[in-house]
Amino acid sequence: MRIVAVLSFIVCFVSISRAQGLLTVREAVETALENNFEIKLSQNDLRVAQENVTYGNAGMLPTVTGNFSQNNNLQNSTQTQASGEQRSLKNAKNNSMNYGVSIGWTIFDGLGMFSRYDILKENQKLGEVELKRTILNKVSEVISTYYTIVEQNNLLQAIDSSIIISKERLQTAENRFSIGKASRLEVLNVQVNLNEDESSRLRQADVVKNLKITLNSLMARDLSVEFDVERDLEYDDTLILDDLMQKAKQHNPDLQLISINRRMAELELKRVKAARYPTVRLNTGYNFAETESSLGFVSQSNSRGLNYGVTASVNIFDGFNQRRNERVAKIQIESADLLIEQQNLTINTAIATAFQTYQTNLSLARLEETNEDIARQNLNITLEKYKIGSISAVEFRDAQENFINAVSRFNTAKLQAKLSELQLKEIIGNIDLE
């Protein structure tokens, strides 16, 4: 059996034996959605916006107030009566106490309260879209990191294969040296190649370890948790530019945010215009009052009763501020329209650019897949020739390095194709894990 086939069997066996620690990309995303701090903070912001959507916050409901006041004073008082009699009292006590309940209800304010309620609902929609955008960013980051680990881990396994080959080369060189068919220099060169491969493995293992720490951080779990990743990296090569453009109009969170902001600008104009109309408010209450006076016609009095009424006010002149506020609100609507056009252009440009990169990366992935197959075949043939002594160790080393480089380029090409696909799906606002 050829050495590359044996290595493939070994790698598969190791993967199966370690499958109990396998972390799938779906599990990584689900863990991040559950634990990630930025997502939790965004969820709290949405909860605040939801709590604020009430009729009372919009000013539609009456307000009920309990009132209590008590005043006491001591005075030296002198009173002259109409008859001319004069009365004086030192430290005269005067006390008053009032308490009761008052109710006020604005029943008309130019419909401004309805505009305020609609603005609160739009703020809730903003929170929902902001949460969606945060989730999209985090999911994209998790998937990108995960598949980068897959790519780097595959490269690590390729280096492991190279080490096995280098060890077999070293054994072959030592055998040839022992029977006088190779020089000591050839053995030393092969030993240097093996050391170089083992050094590369240490560096590559460090890269994989750091990437796993990063992924654990994104999932907001213990950074030391060990896990394995899938070996295969699948990418979608069926994306169509026109479909992406259409989906972006429906799902892109940035476009949705701007559309909501435009709606809020329209509602703000309605709220500002409401100030042109009268404000009508109903008032009622039930009050208790007690007074005491040491000097006066009435030494003590009590009263209680219902009071009610209506107040109305209208803005007649406020220094042209009303007109200015309306003009500002209209300008804000115009700015929102411009932002929508600008964002549409920005998104279309981003999709077109990313799609071009996506197509290039697909072509590179197909090319590098062919190159890897050729390099694998070349390595098999070169190994057989090296065993029988028909080629030098230097020629075999070249074939070995070409194989590792081909594997590295193929894995990198697949990763770039996947990242390009992911970027497109993030832009349109619809990342799937299928």
Side-chain angles (χ1 to χ4, degrees), residues 56-266:
N57 197 21
M60 294 182 177
L61 300 180
T63 57
V64 181
T65 306
N67 305 298
F68 176 83
S69 66
Q70 183 175 15
N71 296 296
N72 304 300
N73 59 68
L74 294 174
Q75 295 180 343
N76 296 325
S77 301
T78 300
Q79 294 182 353
T80 302
Q81 307 293 324
S83 61
E85 180 183 357
Q86 193 175 64
R87 299 174 60 190
S88 297
L89 183 63
K90 291 184 178 181
N91 297 324
K93 295 181 179 180
N94 296 284
N95 303 323
S96 65
M97 181 172 62
N98 296 275
Y99 56 94
V101 177
S102 60
I103 302 174
W105 190 3
T106 300
I107 59 173
F108 181 76
D109 65 349
L111 305 180
M113 63 181 72
F114 297 100
S115 297
R116 287 192 295 273
Y117 185 72
D118 288 338
I119 288 174
L120 293 173
K121 290 194 292 186
E122 294 300 318
N123 270 323
Q124 178 181 336
K125 292 180 182 178
L126 277 177
E128 292 170 352
V129 177
E130 287 285 2
L131 175 59
K132 174 185 175 182
R133 183 165 65 173
T134 301
I135 290 175
L136 276 173
N137 290 339
K138 287 296 127 185
V139 169
S140 176
E141 194 172 353
V142 168
I143 296 175
S144 297
T145 304
Y146 183 92
Y147 283 120
T148 301
I149 295 174
V150 172
E151 181 242 356
Q152 293 296 322
N153 197 55
N154 286 341
L155 181 56
L156 178 62
Q157 291 180 353
I159 294 174
D160 287 338
S161 300
S162 180
I163 290 175
I164 293 175
I165 295 172
S166 293
K167 287 181 177 179
E168 182 167 336
R169 281 181 58 215
L170 180 60
Q171 183 64 47
T172 301
E174 288 176 344
N175 291 339
R176 292 175 63 186
F177 174 73
S178 65
I179 61 176
K181 289 187 176 181
S183 65
R184 186 62 181 170
L185 179 61
E186 179 177 339
V187 176
L188 293 175
N189 284 334
V190 174
Q191 182 66 61
V192 168
N193 293 155
L194 175 59
N195 292 342
E196 182 183 347
D197 290 342
E198 290 179 342
S199 175
S200 297
R201 191 196 185 283
L202 287 174
R203 289 193 295 269
Q204 186 62 26
D206 182 63
V207 171
V208 173
K209 180 63 178 178
N210 287 334
L211 285 169
K212 288 184 176 181
I213 292 174
T214 300
L215 184 58
N216 279 329
S217 176
L218 289 172
M219 293 187 289
R221 68 179 190 177
D222 188 350
L223 300 181
S224 62
V225 173
E226 275 294 337
F227 58 90
D228 293 324
V229 294
E230 300 167 343
R231 291 201 60 215
D232 294 330
L233 194 160
E234 302 292 337
Y235 51 87
D236 185 359
D237 59 357
T238 63
L239 300 182
I240 301 173
L241 181 59
D242 290 339
D243 290 345
L244 295 172
M245 294 287 191
Q246 291 301 320
K247 288 180 180 179
K249 293 179 180 179
Q250 300 173 3
H251 303 295
N252 181 269
D254 293 323
L255 277 178
Q256 292 175 344
L257 287 173
I258 292 176
S259 296
I260 293 173
N261 284 327
R262 188 194 186 285
R263 171 62 178 159
M264 291 180 69
E266 292 177 341

Side-chain angles (χ1 to χ4, degrees), residues 157-415:
Q157 291 180 353
I159 294 174
D160 287 338
S161 300
S162 180
I163 290 175
I164 293 175
I165 295 172
S166 293
K167 287 181 177 179
E168 182 167 336
R169 281 181 58 215
L170 180 60
Q171 183 64 47
T172 301
E174 288 176 344
N175 291 339
R176 292 175 63 186
F177 174 73
S178 65
I179 61 176
K181 289 187 176 181
S183 65
R184 186 62 181 170
L185 179 61
E186 179 177 339
V187 176
L188 293 175
N189 284 334
V190 174
Q191 182 66 61
V192 168
N193 293 155
L194 175 59
N195 292 342
E196 182 183 347
D197 290 342
E198 290 179 342
S199 175
S200 297
R201 191 196 185 283
L202 287 174
R203 289 193 295 269
Q204 186 62 26
D206 182 63
V207 171
V208 173
K209 180 63 178 178
N210 287 334
L211 285 169
K212 288 184 176 181
I213 292 174
T214 300
L215 184 58
N216 279 329
S217 176
L218 289 172
M219 293 187 289
R221 68 179 190 177
D222 188 350
L223 300 181
S224 62
V225 173
E226 275 294 337
F227 58 90
D228 293 324
V229 294
E230 300 167 343
R231 291 201 60 215
D232 294 330
L233 194 160
E234 302 292 337
Y235 51 87
D236 185 359
D237 59 357
T238 63
L239 300 182
I240 301 173
L241 181 59
D242 290 339
D243 290 345
L244 295 172
M245 294 287 191
Q246 291 301 320
K247 288 180 180 179
K249 293 179 180 179
Q250 300 173 3
H251 303 295
N252 181 269
D254 293 323
L255 277 178
Q256 292 175 344
L257 287 173
I258 292 176
S259 296
I260 293 173
N261 284 327
R262 188 194 186 285
R263 171 62 178 159
M264 291 180 69
E266 292 177 341
L267 293 172
E268 179 63 17
L269 178 59
K270 290 183 178 181
R271 190 193 67 79
V272 170
K273 285 185 175 180
R276 288 185 174 274
Y277 298 92
T279 298
V280 181
R281 184 175 176 83
L282 299 180
N283 304 286
T284 186
Y286 198 88
N287 295 308
F288 299 83
E290 295 181 6
T291 60
E292 293 182 1
S293 177
S294 299
L295 184 64
F297 291 105
V298 180
S299 61
Q300 185 175 2
S301 69
N302 296 289
S303 65
R304 65 184 65 188
L306 177 70
N307 61 76
Y308 54 91
V310 60
T311 60
S313 61
V314 62
N315 176 29
I316 298 176
F317 179 73
D318 64 350
F320 303 109
N321 285 326
Q322 176 65 31
R323 185 174 63 179
R324 176 183 57 81
N325 290 336
E326 290 181 13
R327 287 178 175 174
V328 170
K330 290 178 180 178
I331 293 173
Q332 289 174 340
I333 294 175
E334 293 177 4
S335 296
D337 288 332
L338 291 173
L339 285 173
I340 290 176
E341 293 182 13
Q342 181 189 43
Q343 192 63 33
N344 269 315
L345 178 60
T346 300
I347 290 173
N348 288 339
T349 302
I351 291 176
T353 303
F355 189 78
Q356 178 59 47
T357 303
Y358 163 76
Q359 289 183 312
T360 301
N361 287 332
L362 288 181
S363 299
L364 287 172
R366 297 187 188 103
L367 176 62
E368 294 301 341
E369 182 177 15
T370 302
N371 288 339
E372 186 203 29
D373 185 58
I374 294 172
R376 189 185 301 274
Q377 295 179 39
N378 182 60
L379 180 62
N380 279 325
I381 296 171
T382 306
L383 180 60
E384 296 299 329
K385 289 185 176 181
Y386 178 72
K387 286 181 177 180
I388 63 177
S390 62
I391 63 172
S392 66
V394 174
E395 291 176 299
F396 180 78
R397 182 61 178 177
D398 288 340
Q400 185 182 5
E401 290 180 345
N402 287 339
F403 171 68
I404 296 300
N405 291 335
V407 171
S408 176
R409 290 197 306 272
F410 180 42
N411 279 286
T412 300
K414 287 195 296 181
L415 175 63

Side-chain angles (χ1 to χ4, degrees), residues 40-54:
K40 286 185 176 181
L41 289 171
S42 188
Q43 288 172 336
N44 283 345
D45 291 340
L46 175 58
R47 289 171 58 193
V48 170
Q50 291 171 335
E51 290 291 336
N52 284 332
V53 183
T54 64

